[in-house]
Amino acid sequence: ILLYEWLAVDGCLHKCVGYMRFSNSAPLVYMTYCILQRIEIDNLKHIIEGIRYNQPVSKIENTLIYA
């Protein structure tokens, strides 16, 4: 399991966003930015593939990770 998937499953995704907004540690902010960027890219891939393979909207929504 990848780090960003673990964060989403564990419910720590909102913590990740909080660290990005309020932390003074540059490495921590950069790491959280990279995690959120990867999630957004994966969400776009899921949407594009769902449309390409004519999946219902509800099935596409189930594959998305919301931050």
Side-chain angles (χ1 to χ4, degrees):
I1 190 164
L2 299 173
L3 177 62
Y4 61 90
E5 290 173 346
W6 175 80
L7 286 169
V9 170
D10 194 39
C12 295
L13 193 57
H14 294 289
K15 235 185 228 191
C16 186
V17 173
Y19 287 144
M20 187 170 156
R21 290 183 182 161
F22 302 113
S23 178
N24 291 327
S25 171
L28 179 62
V29 171
Y30 181 72
M31 182 189 74
T32 57
Y33 174 78
C34 290
I35 291 168
L36 292 174
Q37 178 186 26
R38 189 75 239 166
I39 290 170
E40 291 297 320
I41 290 170
D42 285 346
N43 281 344
L44 286 172
K45 287 179 187 176
H46 291 303
I47 292 168
I48 291 168
E49 288 176 356
I51 292 170
R52 179 179 182 187
Y53 296 114
N54 296 322
Q55 297 294 321
V57 175
S58 60
K59 189 171 182 180
I60 296 171
E61 287 177 346
N62 289 338
T63 63
L64 301 179
I65 298 174
Y66 295 99

